[in-house]
Amino acid sequence: MVEALIFDVFGTCVDWRSSVAREVATVLPEVDAEAFARAWRAEYDPAMARIREGARGYVPLEDLHLENLDSVARVFGVRVPDRDALNAAWERLDPWPDVIRGLKALKRLAIIAPCSNGSIALMTRLARYGGLPWDCILGADIARDYKPRPEVYLASCAALRLAPDRVMMVAAHNDDLFAARAVGLKTAFVPRPTEHGPGQSRDLCAESDWDIVAADFKDLSRRVAALQG
Amino acid sequence: MVEALIFDVFGTCVDWRSSVAREVATVLPEVDAEAFARAWRAEYDPAMARIREGARGYVPLEDLHLENLDSVARVFGVRVPDRDALNAAWERLDPWPDVIRGLKALKRLAIIAPCSNGSIALMTRLARYGGLPWDCILGADIARDYKPRPEVYLASCAALRLAPDRVMMVAAHNDDLFAARAVGLKTAFVPRPTEHGPGQSRDLCAESDWDIVAADFKDLSRRVAALQG
């Protein structure tokens, strides 16, 4: 019996690539906006890795995004007129078309919350922008660490006072699910084959026997309902 | 300019007294349910005081409620058949009649979140029960301390990455507002003159020049809108 569903957000719920590229195109018309957005995102994991490894204390994702924006702007040889304004592009990411309706259906079945590496502030603003109907915000800020560290999944379950096997992690990324399953959570995979663009080569399909493999959030809500009887 | 409104919940948003009494009456028909509910609530502040003073580490409110239920049951000389089930009465508190509509209007103007001594788990379940449309859950769990300790208000502002003067604390309790104002938050008072029953003697009106004094949440939403121009 699943009492809560917790979600990866960037890529799984929202299309960061075209949303960020759209804002880059407005502010920096001289660059390839898609390439800039992808390069910005490519700095994401290395920046968190230092914190996960303990080489740096916890810093919320907004601050990492801003540092990464500076690096990417240097590589592209551009000056960003208003760094904070462009950084806030990560608060204005469009949900994939199936997400809002799917989350509303899932919310009738269980608690729904993001378990993202985005901060409470970022996830709150993103939810208001896109209409994501979360019950609460969990994830990195709660644990003061970054996925896929086990603490992030466990702190999210603990914040709901639920045993991990009553909580299902939903993600479009197999690595996220391997990490969640390793600490006892249930798992659901939803593919997002264009997250990284038309040439995407990873996470095109489920790489393990996840508890649920769904086509989209509507299908996910049907399968969760079936699981709960 | 107020960017977020954070709310006391027990008493300010929900009527804990009649809601808890209703469940006590069902489970313990032999006791005076109103008196039992009030006695249970009377243990609340002393239990938190030990944690605020550092005599005990942070313990979520559900656990304090359960300990307090045991004390009160002893005083009333009754055995509670299912302690956890009755303790969950705190997850099923009815909102005051003006609250849901008022919060929906306020949500269009600013971020709205509880800044309660209830845990994330408790606030999440209470929101689902009553339909409280929070953007996120802040308060005691974020700070791992209890109001009126300044850390709870400041951690809630920090979680939203807002300076305290961009955040307004809403409460039916003057003490809560004095504590919030002391660390720089804006303040709004909404009276709940029957929170403790017909003979209530405190918090019947505003005891200072709070930034807003409103009749109810509908009036609050009009006043916040006027403040924001």
Side-chain angles (χ1 to χ4, degrees), chain A residues 6-220:
Chain A
I6 63 175
F7 295 77
D8 175 63
V9 173
F10 301 121
T12 301
C13 297
V14 299
D15 174 10
W16 58 265
R17 180 179 52 89
S18 21
S19 305
V20 171
R22 179 184 61 214
E23 304 226 8
V24 169
T26 308
V27 180
L28 303 170
E30 65 270 39
V31 306
D32 176 341
E34 275 268 344
F36 193 97
R38 275 200 299 262
W40 195 357
R41 180 66 175 180
E43 298 292 318
Y44 168 75
D45 203 63
M48 293 187 301
R50 292 194 56 225
I51 292 168
R52 285 194 293 253
E53 291 156 8
R56 186 180 185 184
Y58 177 71
V59 174
L61 192 59
E62 287 94 332
D63 298 323
L64 299 182
H65 275 156
L66 194 62
E67 294 172 6
N68 295 345
L69 172 58
D70 291 342
S71 322
V72 174
R74 268 195 304 275
V75 171
F76 279 71
V78 289
R79 218 194 110 266
V80 180
D82 185 341
R83 297 156 65 244
D84 289 319
L86 183 54
N87 203 39
W90 293 94
E91 299 170 358
R92 295 182 294 264
L93 308 177
D94 297 340
W96 299 109
D98 54 299
V99 164
I100 302 302
R101 187 173 298 191
L103 287 180
K104 285 180 180 168
L106 288 160
K107 188 171 179 164
R108 288 193 287 272
L109 304 173
I111 294 168
I112 58 167
C115 180
S116 162
N117 282 329
S119 68
I120 291 175
L122 181 49
M123 285 298 116
T124 298
R125 294 187 170 94
L126 187 56
R128 288 173 61 84
Y129 170 80
L132 302 161
W134 305 126
D135 287 308
C136 61
I137 310 279
L138 305 173
D141 259 7
I142 302 288
R144 298 186 65 80
D145 205 340
Y146 281 113
K147 292 190 299 181
R149 290 267 293 167
E151 287 78 2
V152 183
Y153 309 98
L154 292 174
S156 297
C157 298
L160 294 176
R161 296 171 73 88
L162 291 175
D165 67 356
R166 298 298 183 98
V167 180
M168 178 173 275
M169 180 74 205
V170 181
H173 309 126
N174 287 282
D175 284 355
D176 209 351
L177 299 183
F178 279 114
R181 185 164 68 182
V183 289
L185 284 80
K186 298 274 195 296
T187 51
F189 181 82
V190 180
R192 297 298 185 191
T194 61
E195 174 187 356
H196 295 276
Q200 182 166 327
S201 58
R202 55 182 161 142
D203 289 320
L204 295 172
C205 61
E207 290 166 17
S208 188
D209 56 337
W210 308 122
D211 295 296
I212 291 178
V213 176
D216 57 24
F217 276 28
K218 188 180 170 193
D219 185 32
L220 177 65

Side-chain angles (χ1 to χ4, degrees), chain B residues 140-159:
Chain B
D141 259 8
I142 302 288
R144 298 187 65 81
D145 205 341
Y146 281 112
K147 291 191 298 179
R149 290 267 294 167
E151 287 76 4
V152 183
Y153 309 98
L154 293 174
S156 297
C157 298

